[in-house]
Amino acid sequence: MRNPRIPGLSKSGTWRNWASSAMATPDTVAMPRDEAEVMELLGAANDTGSTLKVVGGAHSFTPLAATSGTLLSLDHFSGIIRVDLPTNQVRFRAGTRLRDIGRLLEPYGLALANMGDIDHQSLAGAINTSTHGTGLAFTGFSGAVTALRIILPDGEARECSPTLNPGLFQAARVGLGALGVLTEITLQCVPRFKLHAREEPEPLAGMLESFVDRVVLSDHLEFYWFPYTDTALAKTNMRLPDDAPLDPVPWHGRLISDELVGNAAFAALCQVGAKIPATVPPINKLAAKALAVRSYTDQSERVFVAPRRVRFREMEYSVELAALPEVFAAVRTALESHPQKISFPLEVRATGADDTWLGTASGRQSAYIAVHRYAGEPSREFFQAMEQVFVHYGGRPHWGKLHTRDSSYLSSVYPRFDEFLAQRDAADPQGTMLNEHLRHILGR
Amino acid sequence: MFNAKPTANRAGELAADARFAAYDEALAEANLVSRPVGLLDLEHFEANAKDLVQRATGKPIRVASKSLRIRRALEHTLGKPGFSGVLAFTVPEAIWLAESGIGDVVVGYPCADASALQALASSDVAREAVTLMVDDIEQLDLLERAAPGHPPVRVAIDMDASYRPVRGVTIGAARSPLRSAADVTKLAVQILRRKNLRLVGLMAYEGQIAGVGNGEAGAKGTAVRAMQRASAADIRTRRAEAVAALETLVDLEFVNGGGTGSLESTTRESAVTEVAAGSGLVGPGLFDGYRHFRPKPALYFGLNVVRRPGPSTVTVLGGGWVASGPAGQDRLPTPAWPPGLKYRGTEGPGEVQTPLVGDAARELALGDTVYFRHAKAGEVAERLEEIAVYSHGHIVDSWPTYRAEGKAFL
Ligand SMILES: Cc1cc2nc3c(=O)[nH]c(=O)nc-3n(C[C@H](O)[C@H](O)[C@H](O)COP(=O)(O)OP(=O)(O)OC[C@H]3O[C@@H](n4cnc5c(N)ncnc54)[C@H](O)[C@@H]3O)c2cc1C
């Protein structure tokens, strides 16, 4: 059988995620066209004691989607199924890529309320890992899910909402891909809007002091910090009505979130830094200095998202919002005393609390700190050092980003961890949806 | 099969001969001696109806009223299996049809007439039965202005079905500005955001297939058929996409497409729930030019020979009942009987008199009847008050035209 074009799958049949931090060789791959096919494949895996995983955009750094059994892509499950105009709730096919959603929602005059840095993910992948952007009045994708449809390993489809199979609904809103195959997801959307973005370097000290207050006042605030410098680059997005005039970024002017953090110019710097670590601090000082104030206004999905052409590895933890200054200071100390020189800027964001069970902001207003290593650099020791700090503060790892937590730690930071496990075990008693990574984090 | 073309064979001619003799006799028997006279051959009409239903392969046919403009003919057709609903051409017409008992009338064209919109909004019967056609937000505003806070009104969206093989080339009618599924969706959202509009349908009329003859021999015929095949594939995709998009918002009652000449390709689209046809019932002159079907001529008008300008020329009174569209020879009525009569090269059918030349003219006496077929749609009904209904040797009924009922809609 010819391999369908499954994200991350090579011609030889090896599967790799975007960052090449996870690898697997599935024995069966398929790109089903309808639910009946999904049911058949899942039923077959379940009956033969095999395993099945779905890959969305293969953008998780963790091996959540790795399998030696059956690997499915739901890339044929794309598009809008139903739009409820009175409530602005939109039912999508679960494989819909985030990058297509702006175009899909445009005719309806709707948009996603919030987005992360990139849009390569599938909707199902995003909600399964609690993917988020920034903005205290907003939640991650999972918080916006109002209903979903999941095929369980017994081959049956279940409609889930706060009133229909509510336990399964709560578990599957951030399901880690461990319960079944999502085929449809209903999201609370909002009327289309524009964003005014302002990117501005400022002293790190002031940013840390004021972040918790400013994140309340700004619609979407985040900042980058170049290690070894005293400069933060703030990116503040304010929401404007859809009829606000456009003032897009001129092509040559793409800066922090694209050229510096994401792409070619930055890769060049990283390569120098990787080869001659001593150059990193001065390079970073240079980079931070080079940043200029910039502002622009564009359609929301064009402002939220920026290209990431450089391959990197990432760890991100959420902590209590109020603890951010303290945690950040500890992270900074640990980073600057670490023997490896870190070229990649840290990213700090925040979201409101949500009522999901395994969402990284479940039940608490959260700040997120993300640390990265350029793909060519060793990352394990550095991430270990960072993780120690995060864990000390009761941090919750992003499910799709690198971490080493196991079930005993995770159950200590997620009050509803056991309820999740109960739902998971009932949905998939044979462990068809599990892999090594999930067994580790779930203790199964 | 009878055929008014000069290629008709001898047997056909004899059959036609007998048929026109029978028309003459039946009219005389019914004492319908005045000319002009309109005659509807019900046997041919019925055969055409049956043929349309067959070509629509199971999808109901909405009867296009502009091609008939005779209420009794509409009602007669709607009484047959395979036909359902009327595709009307103006709102006042639709209200009138609804109030006369036709329960499903879609207006095929937009309306900017405030008083008509107001009348629709205030008639319980009409609001129940009539569906307005829209393709622009401004039309929604016009309705709101004409009847502020009106009770719920049914609307359908018209989507452009013209064919655009390359940039800058449009084949087909310039109708709706809505071309893509996204265009259609945007208007649908505007409709649905207004509490008192009910979106019930989608229409797309591929006139370049439905109304363009494809039977010509040679390069032109081949080109037309190739264009129609490509256009059918194009509209099939676009209509399916538009329907899929609308179905994310509403459950549509109908998706209308096509016309007499396109039933085969339109009915094959699974997104289409009904087709439209009108001209195919009466088989006017322009519908002689198709390869895949040939309606029987079912509607004639007869004019008196009143003068003889020369030995092979006669002049009939009336005749210039020209069809709409780009003015040209093909918009003129076709002299149908006796065979072989032609217009004079320098003088077409006139508003009062029409000279005709040809051998047959030698045999015609003053007072004889020359039968004509109109070219396109409702021309006959716009000129006459009554149509004599012929069946099996007799005039069995007389149907008043819209005009006779005092209705000059357009
Ligand atoms: C460059 C880059 C930038 C990023 N930026 C952000 C960011 O700004 N914010 C943020 O929060 N995260 C970010 N991430 C992380 C990313 O959003 C998550 O890892 C996300 O899960 C990736 O989505 P995906 O579609 O690629 O899912 P995958 O990685 O393919 O899958 C994720 C999980 O979902 C499961 N899954 C996928 N589809 C289904 C389905 N239909 N049914 C059941 N299970 C399914 C998989 O089995 C797996 O367990 C980023 C990652 C990268 C590489």
Side-chain angles (χ1 to χ4, degrees):
Chain A
M1 185 183 77
R2 241 186 74 239
N3 283 341
R5 297 191 42 199
I6 291 196
L9 193 74
S10 73
K11 285 211 180 77
S12 67
T14 347
W15 175 84
R16 239 179 249 275
N17 63 351
W18 178 84
S20 293
S21 52
M23 247 213 274
T25 312
D27 60 30
T28 308
V29 295
M31 207 181 267
R33 289 194 171 268
D34 54 32
E35 275 196 352
E37 258 185 83
V38 173
M39 289 170 175
E40 205 171 295
L41 288 155
L42 190 51
N46 198 50
D47 292 347
T48 57
S50 176
T51 59
L52 178 144
K53 297 305 308 170
V54 186
V55 61
H59 267 54
S60 291
F61 296 88
T62 44
L64 270 176
T67 182
S68 54
T70 301
L71 185 65
L72 297 191
S73 158
L74 260 51
D75 274 358
H76 288 315
F77 284 61
S78 177
I80 291 175
I81 297 166
R82 194 80 184 177
V83 176
D84 185 54
L85 289 179
T87 61
N88 292 336
Q89 290 178 3
V90 180
R91 173 154 285 216
F92 292 93
R93 290 190 187 82
T96 306
R97 297 300 186 94
L98 303 188
R99 59 174 177 241
D100 296 326
I101 289 184
R103 174 182 55 80
L104 288 169
L105 284 179
E106 198 253 358
Y108 301 91
L110 296 175
L112 293 172
N114 198 3
M115 295 179 78
D117 294 338
I118 58 151
D119 57 6
H120 273 65
Q121 305 96 319
S122 67
L123 207 43
I127 78 155
N128 266 304
T129 57
S130 185
T131 290
H132 63 91
T134 192
L136 213 54
F138 304 90
T139 66
F141 281 87
S142 296
V145 175
T146 60
L148 50 83
R149 185 173 167 87
I150 188 168
I151 314 226
L152 297 185
D154 65 8
E156 300 267 320
R158 300 271 201 293
E159 274 297 324
C160 302
S161 74
T163 50
L164 221 60
N165 297 312
L168 186 57
F169 172 70
Q170 289 303 345
R173 274 168 99 192
V174 183
L176 313 181
L179 295 110
V181 177
L182 292 178
T183 55
E184 299 179 8
I185 296 167
T186 305
L187 281 188
Q188 180 63 55
C189 295
V190 299
R192 261 169 92 71
F193 59 100
K194 294 206 167 57
L195 279 176
H196 174 266
R198 184 177 166 84
E199 295 176 4
E200 180 177 22
E202 55 182 280
L204 175 68
M207 169 55 88
L208 283 173
E209 225 166 82
S210 63
F211 184 80
V212 174
D213 295 328
R214 273 165 68 183
V215 82
V216 178
L217 301 173
S218 340
D219 291 327
H220 308 273
L221 172 68
E222 67 186 302
F223 74 87
Y224 295 89
W225 172 60
F226 283 85
Y228 320 106
T229 72
D230 294 317
T231 308
L233 182 91
K235 186 178 179 201
T236 312
N237 296 335
M238 296 302 277
R239 296 162 85 94
L240 299 173
D242 199 37
D243 55 11
L246 285 176
D247 176 19
V249 193
W251 251 111
H252 54 85
R254 295 229 154 217
L255 196 70
I256 177 70
S257 41
D258 354 327
E259 285 323 318
L260 275 180
V261 179
N263 306 305
F266 188 64
L269 288 185
C270 290
Q271 263 151 357
V272 174
K275 292 203 179 88
I276 323 164
T279 61
V280 167
I283 286 178
N284 276 13
K285 289 201 170 92
L286 204 78
K289 271 214 189 93
L291 304 172
V293 179
R294 206 166 57 131
S295 65
Y296 49 93
T297 302
D298 209 335
Q299 212 62 51
S300 61
E301 66 263 14
R302 299 171 61 95
V303 173
F304 281 134
V305 167
R308 287 282 187 279
R309 293 190 286 267
V310 168
R311 300 279 159 149
F312 56 83
R313 293 186 176 178
E314 177 172 351
M315 167 178 281
E316 181 179 56
Y317 268 75
S318 79
V319 296
E320 291 264 13
L321 176 63
L324 177 77
E326 194 186 340
V327 182
F328 191 91
V331 166
R332 181 178 189 181
T333 307
L335 184 147
E336 292 187 336
S337 61
H338 189 77
Q340 288 171 344
K341 292 300 164 212
I342 307 307
S343 49
F344 218 112
L346 275 64
E347 187 180 11
V348 175
R349 293 180 278 183
T351 68
D354 64 45
D355 61 349
T356 61
W357 288 356
L358 292 196
T360 43
S362 168
R364 68 187 196 193
Q365 288 193 329
S366 299
Y368 297 81
I369 303 177
V371 295
H372 314 76
R373 282 297 260 165
Y374 172 58
E377 301 168 324
S379 56
R380 185 190 301 256
E381 281 168 29
F382 169 63
F383 283 159
Q384 226 165 36
M386 294 296 104
E387 194 169 25
Q388 258 172 30
V389 179
F390 292 134
V391 165
H392 179 76
Y393 289 97
R396 293 170 176 169
H398 187 303
W399 298 108
K401 301 185 184 179
L402 297 171
H403 69 92
T404 65
R405 298 299 86 200
D406 64 8
S407 58
S408 67
Y409 176 81
L410 293 166
S411 67
S412 75
V413 292
Y414 283 105
R416 314 197 75 153
F417 199 71
D418 289 341
E419 279 170 86
F420 175 82
L421 288 181
Q423 285 294 335
R424 201 224 75 80
D425 293 347
D428 177 27
Q430 298 202 166
T432 304
M433 299 303 299
L434 294 180
N435 60 17
E436 211 181 308
H437 178 68
L438 282 164
R439 286 186 186 282
H440 172 70
I441 62 178
L442 300 178
R444 284 296 180 272
Chain B
M1 186 176 74
F2 168 70
N3 182 331
K5 291 251 142 181
T7 52
N9 62 25
R10 203 170 148 66
E13 255 175 53
L14 283 177
D17 227 350
R19 194 143 201 113
F20 281 97
Y23 293 162
D24 275 343
E25 260 171 54
L27 288 170
E29 177 194 66
N31 203 25
L32 291 168
V33 293
S34 295
R35 301 289 178 268
V37 69
L39 182 138
L40 184 123
D41 183 330
L42 195 59
E43 295 163 45
H44 285 180
F45 189 89
E46 306 277 9
N48 289 341
K50 208 176 260 172
D51 185 50
L52 290 172
V53 170
Q54 236 157 39
R55 291 174 56 221
T57 55
K59 293 209 171 140
I61 299 172
R62 188 175 284 284
V63 187
S65 66
K66 75 167 173 138
S67 307
L68 296 173
R69 304 186 191 216
I70 302 164
R71 194 154 53 108
R72 294 279 303 279
L74 292 174
E75 288 162 354
H76 181 86
T77 311
L78 291 175
K80 299 174 174 306
F83 292 89
S84 176
V86 170
L87 188 65
F89 54 98
T90 72
V91 171
E93 179 205 8
I95 297 172
W96 176 61
L97 292 176
E99 287 180 343
S100 74
I102 297 180
D104 173 8
V105 187
V106 173
V107 185
Y109 309 81
C111 172
D113 173 352
S115 68
L117 293 170
Q118 214 278 327
L120 173 79
S122 56
S123 159
D124 292 344
V125 178
R127 280 197 322 274
E128 187 68 20
V130 175
T131 303
L132 288 182
M133 194 60 60
V134 296
D135 56 25
D136 199 310
I137 292 186
E138 277 183 54
Q139 293 151 359
L140 310 182
D141 295 338
L142 283 172
L143 173 61
E144 189 55 43
R145 236 175 291 143
H150 59 83
V153 166
R154 297 162 55 87
V155 299
I157 295 178
D158 188 3
M159 180 175 87
D160 173 52
S162 66
Y163 179 50
R164 302 188 184 172
V166 290
R167 233 185 138 73
V169 176
T170 299
I171 303 173
R175 287 172 71 111
S176 168
L178 312 175
R179 201 159 160 78
S180 66
D183 295 340
V184 168
T185 308
K186 279 182 195 166
L187 184 64
V189 169
Q190 293 301 322
I191 292 168
L192 294 165
R193 294 257 188 225
R194 299 180 190 218
K195 300 252 168 331
N196 39 12
L197 294 181
R198 284 184 51 211
L199 178 58
V200 297
L202 175 75
M203 184 181 90
Y205 173 64
E206 58 272 45
Q208 67 280 13
I209 310 176
V212 173
N214 59 9
E216 251 184 74
K220 183 163 178 227
T222 309
V224 168
R225 288 190 294 276
M227 175 279 285
Q228 290 181 339
R229 266 195 306 277
S231 169
D234 163 66
I235 186 58
R236 176 193 190 88
T237 309
R238 286 197 295 118
R239 193 151 31 206
E241 286 170 355
V243 170
L246 288 181
E247 280 176 349
T248 64
L249 289 164
V250 284
D251 299 319
L252 295 176
E253 288 177 22
F254 68 85
V255 177
N256 182 286
T260 292
S262 77
L263 293 186
E264 287 80 0
S265 61
T266 310
T267 194
R268 268 202 300 272
E269 289 182 29
S270 55
V272 167
T273 64
E274 59 172 46
V275 291
S279 314
L281 288 165
V282 291
L286 281 170
F287 283 79
D288 290 344
Y290 287 81
R291 172 177 268 211
H292 54 291
F293 71 100
R294 170 65 60 91
K296 293 172 186 268
L299 184 59
Y300 297 97
F301 59 95
L303 302 178
N304 262 344
V305 176
V306 291
R307 181 189 258 162
R308 183 183 298 288
S312 61
T313 308
V314 290
T315 297
V316 294
L317 193 69
W321 302 359
V322 177
S324 64
Q329 291 291 327
D330 65 348
R331 305 285 134 172
L332 303 181
T334 315
W337 195 264
L341 289 176
K342 290 198 170 58
Y343 298 121
R344 289 184 71 226
T346 54
E347 194 176 0
E351 57 192 327
V352 177
Q353 57 169 5
T354 301
L356 296 163
V357 297
D359 281 348
R362 294 175 194 277
E363 324 254 306
L364 285 168
L366 302 193
D368 280 353
T369 301
V370 174
Y371 290 92
F372 290 78
R373 293 162 63 210
H374 63 299
K376 190 180 174 191
E379 297 97 288
V380 180
E382 291 302 326
R383 298 289 180 152
L384 298 173
E385 301 221 317
E386 278 188 316
I387 305 294
V389 181
Y390 167 92
S391 180
H392 295 101
H394 303 285
I395 301 301
V396 295
D397 208 342
S398 171
W399 289 348
T401 61
Y402 276 15
R403 176 180 172 152
E405 301 202 61
K407 304 294 176 187
F409 296 115
L410 266 187

